[in-house]
Amino acid sequence: MKTIRTSVFETNSSSMHAISFANDDPKVTVDKIYVSASGEYGWDITDFKAPDEKLDYATVAFMHIARTAVKSELEEDVIDYIDEKLQNVVDCFAKHGVIVEFAEDMYKVNSKRYDTAVYIQVAISGYIDHQSAPYEDRDSAQVARWFADDPEELFKFVFNSSYIHTDNDNH
Amino acid sequence: MKLLKGYKNGNHIVKIFDDGTKIKETGHFEAVCLPGMKGGYKKWLPSDEDHFTYDFPENADIKITDYCDAGCAYCHENSTVKGVHGDLRRIEKTLDSLHAGTEMAVGGGNALAHPDLIWFLEKLKSKGVLANITINQKHLRPYKDLICKLVAENLVHGIGISLIDSSNKDDFDFIDTLGNNVVIHAIAGVLDEKDFDVLKGRKILILGYKNLRRGSSFLEKDFVNVNHRMNMLRNVWLTQLKNECKVVSFDCLAIEQLDPKKNLNISQEAWDTLFQGADTDVKDKDGNITCATMYVDVTTMTVARMSTAALDKRYSFNGDEDISDLLKISTQGW
């Protein structure tokens, strides 16, 4: 069981805040999102505008950066890091009345040893094409950072009017 | 959000963040050993229990004085200039038993008028208790320096301002200097459409109308208008407030009177996550305490479930008791 009190301290001196609803500029259009990190982003010319598509994209982008964000050679550490960040997103969205459910088998962490180095891989079924993968200052990197460090910004991104446009350079 | 406090209570953990967000989750800690490494760490494993249990209160609503010069016509506390201050030093042992992370909603009467307020808040701060305070809007100007001190020294986290006059621009300009954790308290049946402009973009708490003491005589005198405002709030204004305010929250009585779940079209799943529990749901079948909050009246040295509890459900204490024992006492008769 889990409950969330949203953005207020218990100031009420005659009985408690029993429930609170936060409101931001983003227009919340759904109350539940299922995420499987299985979207394929980057080759076809497509706009992704729906909240579930945007959150799936952000999840895929985050998974790209997750393995490098943890300075550890242990799979457990990477799993703990990812699970913590997923939980933060669930908590943040729930605070706004949106239930997020990540697929149970959404990702797998594998490690391979090469001589003295250990290479950790986070495997998901979705991908972002290499030309727009979340490196440096690309937009996808910003979305991945929101996912990892600023779920409130991620929430705004998912429910505001911005959208993801994918394309290729063959035209 | 920055984590302010995290702690375990009963069958769950509690995390409180610097904007007041509080996350509770049932589960337990389990020792984890990493392969090939010495030692280990404790990992939190969530569980799917259907209720929370409590070893100590998560929130305590504490009335420290019955003195007040505001004279609000609908005051359910009946506070007046003849009201007495509670002896806060008498409950020092109880205060010493408080747990870090517990929230205290400090109120009165006019809590700002209590001569031991600073001593009391410093005591709470030293224990890691998160103190919040309710201030009547009429007291903003007379106590401006004291309020600034409370904020500057982090002696209070949340500040509830009882809405009296939404047209007073100076008051709201001052409120805007007090940080992001101010919540405007508005009473269902008293809150009017003319107040909405000033509430835009703010956090508000809608309190149920307490038909008690002066609240009762005010209702008798102004029934038509109170009833009209209550109906308008329930059926029309709630949606507007939810769209225009930064946060809209309700106490248990307001939920009964306004039915926000239905009138704001909140899904059952969202409601189950956001609803903090009824303060009259006191024990599970195994005898564990299942209520998070309690009421402490230092002016009469009594504890109860809530401030509106009947006289026969208020229990005396002497100030030496552990807060966990007082929580148990407060559940008697429910």
Side-chain angles (χ1 to χ4, degrees):
Chain A
M1 182 180 183
K2 184 170 199 166
T3 62
I4 298 179
R5 181 185 70 193
T6 307
S7 303
V8 281
F9 283 98
E10 187 49 78
T11 52
N12 185 12
S13 60
S14 57
S15 63
M16 66 177 184
H17 280 79
I19 197 160
S20 57
F21 304 100
N23 181 36
D24 298 310
D25 292 330
K27 296 295 169 218
V28 179
T29 50
V30 297
D31 61 8
K32 187 167 186 178
I33 302 178
Y34 179 78
V35 182
S36 57
S38 57
E40 298 180 350
Y41 306 98
W43 187 250
D44 295 332
I45 304 169
T46 313
D47 290 338
F48 296 96
K49 295 181 175 177
D52 58 341
E53 294 171 334
K54 287 159 80 174
L55 186 53
D56 190 83
Y57 173 87
T59 309
V60 172
F62 165 69
M63 292 297 178
H64 271 271
I65 66 162
R67 69 179 165 80
T68 54
V70 184
K71 307 298 178 200
S72 168
E73 295 184 341
L74 293 171
E75 290 174 17
E76 290 86 348
D77 289 347
V78 177
I79 291 170
D80 279 352
Y81 171 79
I82 291 173
D83 285 349
E84 182 193 337
K85 299 303 181 185
L86 295 180
Q87 193 58 57
N88 289 346
V89 169
V90 169
D91 290 346
C92 175
F93 278 58
K95 196 178 92 169
H96 295 279
V98 179
I99 307 298
V100 172
E101 189 183 338
F102 289 106
E104 216 167 89
D105 55 352
M106 183 173 72
Y107 76 94
K108 283 194 173 66
V109 176
N110 307 304
S111 62
K112 283 182 181 169
R113 180 171 287 279
Y114 296 101
D115 296 328
T116 55
V118 174
Y119 178 75
I120 291 188
Q121 185 188 29
V122 179
I124 53 173
S125 60
Y127 81 99
I128 294 178
D129 186 71
H130 68 96
Q131 290 190 348
S132 47
Y135 302 122
E136 298 169 356
D137 58 353
R138 289 175 181 163
D139 289 346
S140 57
Q142 178 62 65
V143 173
R145 282 195 294 270
W146 286 337
F147 195 109
D149 302 321
D150 198 344
E152 286 288 346
E153 282 303 316
L154 177 68
F155 179 84
K156 288 179 195 166
F157 164 73
V158 168
F159 285 105
N160 66 19
S161 57
S162 64
Y163 59 92
I164 301 148
H165 177 74
T166 58
D167 201 344
N168 63 68
D169 56 6
N170 289 354
H171 57 86
Chain B
M1 293 188 296
K2 185 181 152 199
L3 183 68
L4 272 186
K5 296 283 177 193
Y7 61 92
K8 187 169 185 296
N9 187 0
N11 67 350
H12 61 282
I13 51 165
V14 181
K15 289 185 277 186
I16 301 184
F17 297 85
D18 61 355
D19 71 340
T21 294
K22 180 175 71 180
I23 298 174
K24 292 159 63 172
E25 186 176 42
T26 56
H28 64 278
F29 285 105
E30 195 166 284
V32 174
C33 292
L34 298 176
M37 293 186 77
K38 287 182 182 175
Y41 65 100
K42 282 187 175 177
K43 185 173 183 175
W44 179 255
L45 297 175
S47 65
D48 57 0
E49 283 151 280
D50 62 2
H51 64 279
F52 296 112
T53 63
Y54 299 86
D55 296 331
F56 55 88
E58 188 173 283
N59 312 310
D61 161 14
I62 184 162
K63 177 176 179 174
I64 65 170
T65 182
D66 204 23
Y67 171 88
C68 186
D69 61 2
C72 301
Y74 39 79
C75 176
H76 80 283
E77 293 287 349
N78 234 6
S79 295
T80 67
V81 290
K82 290 179 182 167
V84 297
H85 297 310
D87 184 354
L88 292 170
R89 297 184 192 249
R90 191 175 159 195
I91 62 165
E92 192 167 4
K93 284 190 181 166
T94 297
L95 298 178
D96 281 333
S97 72
L98 290 169
H99 295 252
T102 296
E103 286 181 273
M104 279 285 213
V106 180
N110 174 14
L112 297 171
H114 198 294
D116 282 336
L117 178 67
I118 296 292
W119 172 86
F120 175 62
L121 294 176
E122 284 176 344
K123 178 87 184 167
L124 296 180
K125 187 179 175 184
S126 73
K127 300 290 300 176
V129 173
L130 304 175
N132 309 308
I133 194 167
T134 303
I135 297 171
N136 190 301
Q137 186 188 341
K138 287 181 182 175
H139 295 135
L140 288 174
R141 274 171 288 173
Y143 292 90
K144 189 174 180 180
D145 291 344
L146 175 59
I147 295 167
C148 290
K149 177 183 168 73
L150 301 184
V151 172
E153 296 181 10
N154 283 322
L155 291 172
V156 292
H157 291 270
I159 301 177
I161 307 284
S162 307
L163 179 66
I164 301 294
D165 177 9
S166 58
S167 70
N168 190 321
K169 190 176 177 307
D170 287 348
D171 282 353
F172 283 90
D173 285 346
F174 175 53
I175 287 169
D176 288 337
T177 69
L178 298 177
N180 297 321
N181 290 323
V182 173
V183 179
I184 306 298
H185 290 192
I187 300 171
V190 177
L191 178 66
D192 202 349
E193 200 171 11
K194 67 178 169 46
D195 302 321
F196 290 5
D197 259 1
V198 84
L199 298 179
K200 279 181 189 167
R202 297 184 188 276
K203 297 178 180 181
I204 70 165
L205 167 63
I206 299 177
L207 303 167
Y209 190 91
K210 296 185 179 77
N211 186 4
L212 200 64
R213 304 188 187 101
R214 293 214 292 270
S216 186
S217 46
F218 182 77
L219 182 63
E220 207 172 297
K221 205 168 127 187
D222 201 20
F223 177 81
V224 173
N225 286 326
V226 171
N227 198 40
H228 169 72
R229 289 189 290 256
M230 185 74 82
N231 286 333
M232 287 300 288
L233 182 57
R234 185 189 302 113
N235 300 320
V236 182
W237 296 341
L238 270 193
T239 306
Q240 186 183 346
L241 287 169
K242 183 170 181 289
N243 289 337
E244 292 180 351
C245 296
K246 192 172 180 183
V247 176
V248 179
S249 46
F250 302 84
D251 71 358
C252 289
L253 186 58
I255 289 174
E256 270 179 55
Q257 293 174 349
L258 302 171
D259 197 356
K261 180 173 183 292
K262 178 182 158 213
N263 293 316
L264 291 174
N265 202 21
I266 307 296
S267 72
Q268 187 62 46
E269 206 163 356
W271 184 268
D272 289 344
T273 301
L274 297 172
F275 182 55
Q276 298 296 297
D279 43 18
T280 52
D281 179 11
V282 297
K283 279 184 185 166
D284 65 13
K285 61 181 171 49
D286 300 318
N288 298 305
I289 290 182
T290 54
C291 50
T293 188
M294 63 181 292
Y295 174 66
V296 181
D297 185 343
V298 191
T299 67
T300 58
M301 291 300 287
T302 54
V303 294
R305 283 286 64 243
M306 73 289 282
S307 65
T308 53
L311 289 177
D312 64 349
K313 287 184 180 172
R314 293 171 183 242
Y315 305 97
S316 295
F317 74 111
N318 60 32
D320 293 336
E321 298 90 337
D322 188 285
I323 195 71
S324 301
D325 295 330
L326 293 182
L327 176 64
K328 281 179 204 154
I329 291 170
S330 76
T331 64
Q332 289 173 14
W334 292 90

